[in-house]
Amino acid sequence: GAALGHLVLVILRSFPEYMLAYLFLQVWGPSMLPAILALGLHNGAIIGHLLGRQAAGLALRADAPRGLTLWGWEIVPRLFGNFVALCLYRWEIIIRESAIMGILGIATLGFFLDDAIGELRMDRAVVILAATGLVTVGIDTLSRAIRARIGAGHLRVAGPEGARPAPGPAAGG
């Protein structure tokens, strides 16, 4: 099961979220559902892949339990801080990406930005861009505060070459 799960996560994280959103847009029409599904699947696969790599590198006791008991009482508590840090980091990225999804016709900030530029309403476009920037800065500040409060500020991703800081603001704390 692990190899199949890894394959599914690699495929989902390799598919660009814009491509997924376009495919879902063709199925369900213009609504927020295609954007939510595309961003959720893509970012969930990224987080799942990173946490899977971390879980594979955990040193377990010789008498460690098996199955769901191992997962629920050993692995999840040890990875919870990193899970929260990754979710908060990806939350900021999702907000920025959802603004861009509007170009596909999905009613997000990007949709209203594209509409304003199409009507040559640059005053409205500048206000939307400023609002997007402020929302992103606010989310980043909130994310850093939450990570610091729960002690999940220093995210480490272990790979074949050893532990290294994860990319982006999650590594800085």
Side-chain angles (χ1 to χ4, degrees), residues 18 89 91-101 132 136:
Y18 307 114
Y89 170 63
W91 179 39
E92 174 194 342
I93 292 171
I94 286 170
I95 295 299
R96 281 187 268 138
E97 289 175 345
S98 69
I100 307 241
M101 293 281 182
T132 303
T136 302

Side-chain angles (χ1 to χ4, degrees), residues 17-58:
E17 53 274 271
Y18 307 114
M19 175 84 72
L20 287 172
Y22 180 74
L23 291 173
F24 294 149
L25 186 64
Q26 298 304 316
V27 174
W28 289 297
S31 69
M32 280 300 290
L33 184 61
I36 291 168
L37 288 175
L39 291 170
L41 284 174
H42 179 77
N43 289 288
I46 289 172
I47 291 170
H49 176 74
L50 290 173
L51 289 175
R53 283 177 44 183
Q54 283 183 319
L58 289 177

Side-chain angles (χ1 to χ4, degrees), residues 14-15 20 26 33 47 49 53 58-59 80 85 94 104-105 108-109 111 117 131 135 153 155-156 162:
S14 298
F15 242 93
L20 287 172
Q26 298 304 316
L33 184 61
I47 291 170
H49 176 74
R53 283 177 44 183
L58 289 177
F80 182 72
I94 286 170
L104 294 176
T108 62
L109 283 176
F111 175 78
I117 291 173
V135 166
L155 177 63
R156 289 252 187 258

Side-chain angles (χ1 to χ4, degrees), residues 2-167:
L4 179 62
H6 178 72
L7 178 66
V8 168
L9 290 177
V10 167
I11 290 171
L12 284 176
R13 73 185 177 95
S14 298
F15 242 93
E17 53 274 271
Y18 307 114
M19 175 84 72
L20 287 172
Y22 180 74
L23 291 173
F24 294 149
L25 186 64
Q26 298 304 316
V27 174
W28 289 297
S31 69
M32 280 300 290
L33 184 61
I36 291 168
L37 288 175
L39 291 170
L41 284 174
H42 179 77
N43 289 288
I46 289 172
I47 291 170
H49 176 74
L50 290 173
L51 289 175
R53 283 177 44 183
Q54 283 183 319
L58 289 177
L60 300 175
R61 300 183 333 233
D63 65 340
R66 299 277 179 234
L68 287 177
T69 305
L70 172 67
W71 180 79
W73 292 96
E74 180 74 19
I75 294 175
V76 169
R78 289 171 70 180
L79 295 179
F80 182 72
N82 287 341
F83 170 72
V84 172
L86 281 169
C87 285
L88 291 171
Y89 170 63
R90 294 307 296 181
W91 179 39
E92 174 194 342
I93 292 171
I94 286 170
I95 295 299
R96 281 187 268 138
E97 289 175 345
S98 69
I100 307 241
M101 293 281 182
I103 295 170
L104 294 176
I106 301 168
T108 62
L109 283 176
F111 175 78
F112 298 109
L113 178 64
D114 190 45
D115 188 46
I117 291 173
E119 293 177 0
L120 297 176
R121 299 286 312 259
M122 294 306 151
D123 56 337
R124 187 180 298 172
V126 168
V127 168
I128 292 171
L129 283 173
T132 303
L134 288 173
V135 166
T136 302
V137 167
I139 286 173
D140 184 47
T141 304
L142 179 63
S143 162
R144 287 176 189 263
I146 292 171
R147 284 195 321 264
R149 178 116 171 126
I150 67 169
H154 298 287
L155 177 63
R156 289 252 187 258
V157 178
E161 62 279 347
R164 67 182 192 282

